[in-house]
Amino acid sequence: MPALLCLFIGAGQQAWAQINLGQSTQNLTLTGVGPNSSGEGVSVVTWGDCSYNGTDTICTLSGTFTGLGPGGTYVYTLTYSGNGPSPLDAITQPGSNLFSISLSSGSLTFDFDESNGTTVSYDHSGSLYYVPGLATCTGNPPSCGVGAVGQTPGATITGPVSGTLDVPPVIQTVISAGDYGGFTSIAPATWIEIYGQNLATTTADWTGAFNGNNAPTSVGGTTVTVGGLPVFIDYVSPGQVNGQVPSDLPTGPQQVIVQTAAGASAAFTINVNSTEPGLLAPPPFDIGGTQYAVALFSDGFYDLPPGLVSEVASRRAVPGDTLMLFGIGFGPVVEGVPAGVIDQDDTTVLSAQMDITIGGVSAQVTYAGLTEGVVGLYQFNVVVPNIPPSDTTPLTFTLNGNPGMQTMALFIGN
């Protein structure tokens, strides 16, 4: 399969959800700003171990932790441009010693260096508090507490900190694969993209993780279920997970849950239809405001004007040419090939009726089934009908009489 097409297709330790942090090794200071619009106290966060390299300020705060695997040390690293005030805010309830961190610019990373030599990184999503009795205040707040200091502009509280870091995955949205329409409903055996925070502790794909022809259900320690059934994982990163949902997924509202060593996410509900078809039409094929489908000739050339994309061989299709289109979410094939398995048959047959028009004219579909040698990718071989040339020739399809939701075009010459 041509390399460009492949790019568009792909993208055990015990732990607790609450990770107990020990006392930090450097004192941390909160300087009160006053209440925000919700009445919570706001303080600017600073700590002593910072350096300016002429471009960025880099600050670190470290300490010991327990509650995740073998324990070890943690390190906050704050990086922001310039050497001005800290972009970290601490948000507190009046009278509380607990504060959460909000970052207005730069980056804040949180690394666990476990005693067994493993390093695990997360986005910060937890809360800290001052060690009772060890913090000192200035500026005459009503009491020497984080909430009172936050409510008192110019007041400070300084001392060692402790707290918890809540690091389970957080799902923000789930869609069908973005290069194939990116729909907010999915279908059995289709490909999905999950976006959020702490979805994985590494960036990895399924390379080397197959069991024969069977795709893995865990990559980099991340697993996903939809409707309680395991998803076949293609790619993981802290912010995104891609995978193929199982073939026997029930229709209707279903819960998506991501699990890592740190725990399980809250469930994200997505609707499952019997089909949710989309053809491969990625953002790079949005040319001059027109979204083109990826269409290949059997010799690997793309249906593009010659030279339009320098790294691929291309030519315009003409009437009588056969083009290959690719898709997801088109439902089962007669042969019953399940999700998560590399297709080994070059003659599978789509169960549903697939009709395609090019330039408003019905086109002959000579093959509608799965792509041999690939997991869960449909292929449609279609003959260009006798139509006038146009670089914005409309491409439409119906599945069992239901029109597709994408607006696409092809380059047709003469």
Side-chain angles (χ1 to χ4, degrees), residues 294-320:
V294 173
L296 283 173
F297 297 93
S298 60
D299 59 6
F301 276 61
Y302 284 80
D303 174 42
L304 296 168
L308 181 63
V309 180
S310 59
E311 62 266 28
V312 300
S314 60
R315 65 177 181 269
R316 289 179 177 86
V318 300

Side-chain angles (χ1 to χ4, degrees), residues 153-219:
T156 67
I157 181 169
T158 301
V161 295
S162 186
T164 59
L165 184 73
D166 187 13
V167 296
V170 176
I171 300 175
Q172 294 172 327
T173 191
V174 180
I175 60 173
S176 66
D179 288 345
Y180 297 80
F183 305 119
T184 55
S185 293
I186 63 172
T190 200
W191 286 86
I192 63 171
E193 296 173 356
I194 303 169
Y195 294 94
Q197 297 177 340
N198 304 324
L199 301 178
T201 61
T202 186
T203 297
D205 62 27
W206 62 10
T207 301
F210 274 72
N211 179 15
N213 292 324
N214 299 311
T217 56
S218 176
V219 171

Side-chain angles (χ1 to χ4, degrees), residues 149-411:
V149 166
Q151 296 281 338
T152 309
T156 67
I157 181 169
T158 301
V161 295
S162 186
T164 59
L165 184 73
D166 187 13
V167 296
V170 176
I171 300 175
Q172 294 172 327
T173 191
V174 180
I175 60 173
S176 66
D179 288 345
Y180 297 80
F183 305 119
T184 55
S185 293
I186 63 172
T190 200
W191 286 86
I192 63 171
E193 296 173 356
I194 303 169
Y195 294 94
Q197 297 177 340
N198 304 324
L199 301 178
T201 61
T202 186
T203 297
D205 62 27
W206 62 10
T207 301
F210 274 72
N211 179 15
N213 292 324
N214 299 311
T217 56
S218 176
V219 171
T222 293
T223 60
V224 179
T225 58
V226 180
L229 302 174
V231 171
F232 301 96
I233 307 296
D234 167 29
Y235 168 85
V236 301
S237 71
Q240 179 178 350
V241 173
N242 299 344
Q244 188 190 20
V245 301
S247 300
D248 54 350
L249 181 65
T251 58
Q254 300 296 336
Q255 293 186 334
V256 182
I257 297 174
V258 176
Q259 177 103 25
T260 70
S265 70
F268 182 97
T269 301
I270 192 166
N271 187 59
V272 180
N273 296 321
S274 58
T275 61
E276 193 66 39
L279 291 177
L280 179 57
F285 274 61
D286 186 328
I287 302 170
T290 298
Q291 178 65 66
Y292 292 89
V294 173
L296 283 173
F297 297 93
S298 60
D299 59 6
F301 276 61
Y302 284 80
D303 174 42
L304 296 168
L308 181 63
V309 180
S310 59
E311 62 266 28
V312 300
S314 60
R315 65 177 181 269
R316 289 179 177 86
V318 300
D321 281 340
T322 296
L323 294 174
M324 293 181 289
L325 307 173
F326 301 91
I328 63 171
F330 284 84
V333 292
V334 173
E335 292 74 11
V337 179
V341 177
I342 298 174
D343 179 52
Q344 300 296 304
D345 188 348
D346 62 356
T347 58
T348 57
V349 178
L350 186 69
S351 297
Q353 177 64 39
M354 177 69 167
D355 295 300
I356 296 175
T357 65
I358 301 176
V361 177
S362 179
Q364 181 187 7
V365 179
T366 60
Y367 177 75
L370 293 174
T371 305
E372 184 182 13
V374 182
V375 176
L377 183 68
Y378 297 86
Q379 178 177 326
F380 306 101
N381 297 352
V382 56
V383 180
V384 178
N386 188 18
I387 56 175
S390 172
D391 277 352
T392 56
T393 298
L395 168 68
T396 63
F397 70 85
T398 62
L399 186 67
N400 276 347
N402 298 310
M405 300 301 292
Q406 296 162 288
T407 301
M408 298 168 292
L410 294 173
F411 293 94

Side-chain angles (χ1 to χ4, degrees), residues 70-71 112-119:
F112 291 111
D113 293 319
E114 299 180 358
S115 59
N116 64 1
T118 302
T119 297

